[in-house]
Amino acid sequence: MRKMACLFVLLLFLVFKGNAQGIFKIHGAFTSLKKEMKVVLVYNLNHKQVRDSTLTRNGLFDFVGTVPSTLPVKATLGFLPLADHPNTSYVEQLLSIDEQDFFLEKGTVLVNGSSKMNTALITGGKTQQDLLSLQVMKSEERDKMLKLQDEMIPLLIQSQGFGIDSNQKVQALSAQMQPLVKKMREKEEIFIKTHPDSYVTLDLVAQRSRMIHAGNLTKMLGGLSPRLRNSKPAKEMLRRLDVEKQTAAGVRAMDFNQPDADGNLISLHSFKGKYVLLNFWASWSEASRGENLDLLTLYLEFKDKGFEILSVSLDAEREQWLNAVREDHLVWPQLSDLRGWNNKAAQIYAITSVPKSFLIGPDGRIVGKDLFGEALLEKLEEVLR
């Protein structure tokens, strides 16, 4: 009887697990792909990045995996060459990325193209069908954008990104792109209003949640169907809205404590009485590493005038974190609980990208946020003169 009971519980677990996860299959077919290519599939599952790869054979490739049955997953498919080219610059590698986003659900996804991933037709479940509808709406502007990009990329590779602000040809192409981008965003706004129950709409709102005014985001979230308003992504956006209100200028900064490299717990409020720049960063973030040089210059200039920096790293590997601290000569307090994006302080402040900063006054209230470079210099000269 005990064995039967255990077997019954195990079967229930397997059934539940099977219902919670759905099997997906991806089949790709490219008619003009003459050489073998590496195909990379990337998506996030349970707050962790899943990265899978395979090789094309005669223009064909396949993937098999599992995703949640109830929620489509935003994924990316891309082509990479089989061998690295040592003489290829970073700018050229960046500009030659050939990939396309799509929505992954249980069932079969078909990827049909000629030789380029970014122009392939990807078909699949209901959400991917909605995405295709949006792409059709924007197809006129997208086709024009791709032609302009084809003209601009050789110029950017030739200049290696330097002097593009004064290159007349680049500026002319950029000027032609701007109204196209505006028109595509307008069409996305129409899609959002006319498809309140689509996960594509939820994704579009999520993209805007980092850029638009809190009032506009509240209105967009209110326009979603009840089903989507109660989804985890929507609830996370609402939480970030609450944090936006709690981190506005004049509001007292939320306290936390985390260990430094020696294991000593250090709290934000222990710096009360100084102007403190709370800086969220990570060793793997190129933008963060570039910002560290400016921060070092400002720290040395203002540290004796009542200014301090408190950095919180979103690293998960201790060695990578401390190596970056040494390489960038970071001489101010460095904290991390080594939980990556699940860093407790980052969750309190709803951090979704790095670098991110908050300037806090001697009274513990927020003076400004996302102040970098010249903007931070001007603010420090204003408050510390």
Side-chain angles (χ1 to χ4, degrees):
M1 289 296 292
R2 184 176 296 178
K3 287 183 179 180
M4 287 295 294
C6 290
L7 180 60
F8 180 69
V9 171
L10 178 61
L11 287 172
L12 282 178
F13 171 76
L14 292 174
V15 169
F16 175 78
K17 185 175 181 181
N19 288 335
Q21 297 288 321
I23 296 175
F24 70 81
K25 297 180 180 179
I26 300 175
H27 177 69
F30 286 75
T31 56
S32 300
L33 199 60
K34 303 301 182 184
K35 58 183 179 180
E36 287 188 353
M37 297 286 285
K38 183 177 182 180
V39 192
V40 179
L41 171 67
V42 181
Y43 57 96
N44 287 317
L45 193 61
N46 299 323
H47 302 290
K48 292 183 179 180
Q49 187 184 83
V50 177
R51 187 179 181 90
D52 197 1
S53 64
T54 188
L55 300 178
T56 60
R57 291 284 186 271
N58 298 318
L60 306 177
F61 66 85
D62 292 280
F63 287 99
V64 178
T66 59
V67 288
S69 297
T70 56
L71 188 70
V73 174
K74 185 82 171 284
T76 303
L77 270 173
F79 279 146
L80 291 176
L82 292 183
D84 293 330
H85 298 283
N87 296 326
T88 303
S89 68
Y90 174 74
V91 172
E92 188 170 356
Q93 293 176 32
L94 192 63
L95 293 172
S96 62
I97 291 175
D98 181 18
E99 62 185 20
Q100 184 176 166
D101 292 338
F102 69 106
F103 283 93
L104 191 56
E105 300 174 79
K106 67 176 182 178
T108 300
V109 174
L110 299 178
V111 185
N112 293 292
S114 175
S115 60
K116 301 275 288 182
M117 183 65 76
N118 64 1
T119 56
L121 175 64
I122 303 179
T123 57
K126 172 65 170 62
T127 305
Q128 182 61 18
Q129 185 178 339
D130 288 347
L131 180 60
L132 290 177
S133 297
L134 175 61
Q135 289 175 350
V136 169
M137 288 176 63
K138 301 190 299 180
S139 60
E140 181 180 349
E141 292 78 17
R142 183 174 183 271
D143 290 344
K144 292 178 180 177
M145 283 284 292
L146 288 174
K147 289 180 181 178
L148 293 172
Q149 287 175 11
D150 287 342
E151 289 186 58
M152 183 181 283
I153 285 175
L155 298 173
L156 296 178
I157 292 174
Q158 183 179 7
S159 67
Q160 289 298 293
F162 295 104
I164 59 174
D165 55 341
S166 59
N167 186 304
Q168 292 183 353
K169 181 62 175 177
V170 171
Q171 292 305 304
L173 291 170
S174 179
Q176 293 178 61
M177 288 179 179
Q178 289 174 15
L180 297 174
V181 172
K182 181 181 179 182
K183 189 66 176 178
M184 285 193 288
R185 287 188 63 83
E186 289 173 353
K187 290 185 175 181
E188 288 175 355
E189 302 290 344
I190 294 173
F191 186 93
I192 288 172
K193 292 177 181 178
T194 56
H195 295 75
D197 195 47
S198 171
Y199 282 106
V200 175
T201 293
L202 184 64
D203 181 66
L204 290 171
V205 174
Q207 292 175 34
R208 285 157 173 73
S209 70
R210 298 172 178 84
M211 300 178 288
I212 66 175
H213 187 272
N216 292 335
L217 178 57
T218 301
K219 185 177 179 180
M220 279 189 172
L221 287 170
L224 296 176
S225 68
R227 181 176 72 98
L228 291 189
R229 281 202 303 273
N230 289 318
S231 66
K232 285 185 178 180
K235 288 179 178 178
E236 175 58 25
M237 282 185 271
L238 286 170
R239 189 183 78 83
R240 290 207 306 270
L241 274 177
D242 290 338
V243 173
E244 279 292 317
K245 297 174 183 176
Q246 295 176 51
T247 57
V251 176
R252 189 174 298 280
M254 296 172 283
D255 193 23
F256 64 87
N257 61 61
Q258 278 197 15
D260 62 13
D262 297 321
N264 302 311
L265 284 177
I266 298 178
S267 71
L268 173 61
H269 283 181
S270 65
F271 294 89
K272 194 172 181 180
K274 293 184 176 182
Y275 279 94
V276 181
L277 185 74
L278 174 59
N279 175 51
F280 291 92
W281 73 293
S283 68
W284 40 260
S285 164
E286 291 186 16
S288 293
R289 302 295 294 274
E291 190 61 34
N292 283 343
L293 180 60
D294 289 340
L295 290 181
L296 179 60
T297 302
L298 291 174
Y299 181 74
L300 296 176
E301 181 177 350
F302 292 101
K303 68 182 181 68
D304 295 327
K305 300 178 182 179
F307 175 61
E308 185 60 87
I309 301 176
L310 181 63
S311 285
V312 177
S313 169
L314 272 63
D315 277 278
E317 300 294 333
R318 176 181 173 85
E319 185 176 351
Q320 293 177 7
W321 166 43
L322 296 182
N323 282 344
V325 170
R326 286 190 292 269
E327 290 170 4
D328 295 354
H329 307 289
L330 306 184
V331 292
W332 55 84
Q334 300 289 327
L335 310 181
S336 183
D337 60 12
L338 298 177
R339 298 179 61 179
W341 285 107
N342 293 319
N343 182 288
K344 286 293 184 65
Q347 290 184 335
I348 291 173
Y349 281 82
I351 303 301
T352 58
S353 63
V354 289
K356 181 84 173 179
S357 68
F358 303 85
L359 183 62
I360 301 164
D363 60 356
R365 296 184 181 277
I366 294 173
V367 176
K369 55 185 175 182
D370 292 331
L371 297 170
F372 297 108
E374 288 294 324
L376 179 57
L377 173 61
E378 290 176 6
K379 191 65 177 180
L380 292 177
E381 288 177 338
E382 173 191 332
V383 299
L384 294 174
R385 62 187 173 190

